[in-house]
Amino acid sequence: RKEQRPPPAMKYLPTPELQHFTSSCLSGARLGELIVTGFIEAYQCKPDRNEAKLYKSVKNKVEKQISSSPIFTEKMASSPLGPINHTSTIQLLVQLISTLNSSLPDYDFSNLQASDFIHESNLDLVVNKINSYLLNYALEAKHHGVRKKFWDTLDSVINLKKCRLYSFVPDDESEVFGQGHVWTMNYFFVNKEAKKIIFFTCSATRKLQFNPKMDADPNLIQDGSLDENIFEMEIDDHFSPAKQRSHIDLTVPWSR
């Protein structure tokens, strides 16, 4: 649900290589029968009054949860982000929420809980999933060397060996992430020492899905009057906020 709220706390870090990857590879790229859309962005953890307010709100919710239980055990405190009654866990939750709020400013994720995230303990599994879903095969054929350059770029920006990885698994009917997607990935690369977070979100839809024009006149396809541009209508408008990710003119090549 769209809501009006104050600007979030995370500081967006313009990174030409990541911007160019978004523009070249995640802005309606066609991979076989799929259209891929998304973005990858870097943020600096920069606490301010908005984040302090969010922290207080999240902390109050946790305290209310604890007080409502007659017996609160360590097992009950366990969450994918760590013990929910620990200050460091609440801070991490606030940072992940703030990153989502910063990257998708038309939406408010302030009510998310630690249980909405997953701690990805194995970097290799995440690398293999991103490679197999996105970077291998069709995209590698379009942009030779893209897989190596992608991971080299991430490592140079965030230092993967010092990162903890988390994923966000939204509800299937999520207005932002869930509707009509063949697959979706939402990963946070968190370098606590450097106070940086990279957020990578990517989803795929089929080229030809339900479309109001087709529903109104099923003969459009048969008589050839259906313009090819209709296939682009499934690209999610949620991934085109003020930063104009899909129209960045950069000279950093992804094909070398």
Side-chain angles (χ1 to χ4, degrees):
R1 184 169 62 90
K2 293 189 177 182
E3 296 183 2
Q4 295 294 323
R5 54 182 174 76
M10 305 298 286
K11 179 183 178 183
Y12 171 65
L13 298 177
T15 310
E17 294 85 356
L18 298 184
Q19 290 174 306
H20 194 270
F21 181 80
T22 293
S23 180
S24 300
C25 305
L26 298 179
S27 300
R30 298 189 179 196
L31 304 182
E33 294 301 312
L34 301 179
I35 293 177
V36 175
T37 187
F39 58 86
I40 181 167
E41 295 179 341
Y43 289 88
Q44 185 79 48
C45 303
K46 187 181 180 182
D48 64 3
R49 282 184 294 179
N50 292 324
E51 186 163 303
K53 184 178 179 181
L54 179 58
Y55 176 86
K56 184 177 180 180
S57 173
V58 172
K59 184 179 179 182
N60 287 341
K61 290 177 185 177
V62 171
E63 291 176 346
K64 185 176 180 179
Q65 176 187 346
I66 294 174
S67 63
S68 65
S69 176
I71 302 176
F72 191 80
T73 65
E74 286 299 315
K75 184 176 181 180
M76 294 171 64
S78 177
S79 84
L81 305 184
I84 195 58
N85 56 336
H86 287 194
T87 299
S88 59
T89 302
I90 297 176
Q91 288 175 336
L92 174 59
L93 175 57
V94 168
Q95 288 171 351
L96 297 181
I97 290 173
S98 294
T99 299
L100 285 167
N101 283 342
S102 296
S103 62
L104 294 162
D106 288 335
Y107 295 85
D108 189 355
F109 298 89
S110 300
N111 289 323
L112 292 181
Q113 302 178 28
S115 57
D116 292 312
F117 298 89
I118 295 174
H119 175 219
E120 304 287 351
S121 58
N122 192 321
L123 173 61
D124 288 340
L125 291 180
V126 173
V127 170
N128 289 338
K129 182 175 180 179
I130 294 176
N131 284 346
S132 61
Y133 276 47
L134 179 66
L135 300 177
N136 291 343
Y137 314 119
L139 196 57
E140 178 72 17
K142 283 186 175 183
H143 305 278
H144 180 67
V146 66
R147 183 177 59 221
K148 182 179 185 304
K149 186 169 179 59
F150 175 84
W151 292 112
D152 286 349
T153 298
L154 254 65
D155 193 38
S156 68
V157 174
I158 200 75
N159 194 337
L160 292 172
K161 290 183 179 179
K162 293 188 177 182
C163 283
R164 291 178 70 87
L165 271 64
Y166 302 92
S167 59
F168 171 50
V169 184
D171 184 273
D172 288 341
E173 298 303 317
S174 164
E175 184 179 357
V176 188
F177 297 104
Q179 297 175 342
H181 295 149
V182 177
W183 54 257
T184 183
M185 295 184 287
N186 304 292
Y187 288 113
F188 299 85
F189 299 81
V190 181
N191 186 325
K192 184 177 180 180
E193 182 180 320
K195 296 183 179 181
K196 285 183 180 181
I197 294 178
I198 283 182
F199 178 44
F200 171 60
T201 179
C202 181
S203 62
T205 55
R206 298 197 184 282
K207 286 182 182 178
L208 184 59
Q209 292 187 345
F210 167 79
N211 188 281
K213 291 186 179 180
M214 289 182 231
D215 187 57
D217 188 355
N219 295 319
L220 282 174
I221 297 178
Q222 295 179 9
D223 65 14
S225 61
L226 180 63
D227 190 276
E228 185 180 0
N229 289 334
I230 200 170
F231 294 122
E232 303 292 347
M233 296 185 68
E234 278 298 322
I235 297 177
D236 199 336
D237 290 337
H238 302 305
F239 296 128
S240 299
K243 287 189 282 292
Q244 294 293 318
R245 299 182 180 99
S246 60
H247 301 286
I248 300 169
D249 184 16
L250 298 169
T251 58
V252 183
W254 279 91
S255 300
R256 288 185 175 178

